[in-house]
Amino acid sequence: MITILVPLLFAVIEFGDVFQRWLAQESATVQVARYAAELGGDAPEVRDLLDDALRQSGIDPARSTLDITPARVGWREPLTVTVRTDASIAIPFLFSSVIPLRTTAVVRGELAR
């Protein structure tokens, strides 16, 4: 009985942690997308904001990738922001794995050029 309950307990904890990371990453992605739309596209300030948001959520920003397409937008043009990270899970007696987390936000440019 214990051999089933211990891995089950750890699985619930590990997958809950992955879900929390995904929610934090999604929130940071939306925040960064809105800021990029205000600035008119990709800028160092946008990348700094993502680093700060991920760091506050307990995610290492050095292990994340940020894609902003297109790099420059004008008024009401679509801007897509994608953040990718990896979350590792380890369930005792069963397995260890890496789960890729990918979040995307699409916004409209707010800068009239």
Side-chain angles (χ1 to χ4, degrees):
M1 182 73 142
I2 295 290
T3 58
I4 294 173
L5 291 178
V6 171
L8 183 64
L9 175 67
F10 278 100
V12 168
I13 293 170
E14 289 287 329
F15 283 107
D17 182 55
V18 169
F19 185 64
Q20 183 273 332
R21 282 181 58 116
W22 178 74
L23 287 175
Q25 181 177 319
E26 182 180 40
S27 176
T29 303
V30 170
Q31 184 179 10
V32 165
R34 292 194 63 177
Y35 190 55
E38 289 178 9
L39 293 180
D42 196 1
E45 296 89 2
V46 173
R47 294 181 182 274
D48 291 340
L49 178 65
L50 177 69
D51 289 350
D52 291 341
L54 290 178
R55 196 172 295 112
Q56 290 174 0
S57 300
I59 301 171
D60 184 14
R63 299 179 62 196
S64 67
T65 59
L66 171 66
D67 297 323
I68 299 176
T69 53
R72 291 282 169 224
V73 294
W75 176 252
R76 297 190 49 89
E77 293 177 352
L79 177 72
T80 303
V81 175
T82 303
V83 177
R84 291 182 181 89
T85 60
D86 290 328
S88 58
I89 61 170
I91 300 173
F93 311 116
L94 292 179
F95 69 93
S96 296
S97 182
V98 174
I99 298 175
L101 300 177
R102 178 177 165 250
T103 53
T104 301
V106 179
V107 293
R108 299 279 180 192
E110 299 177 9
L111 184 67
R113 293 184 185 256

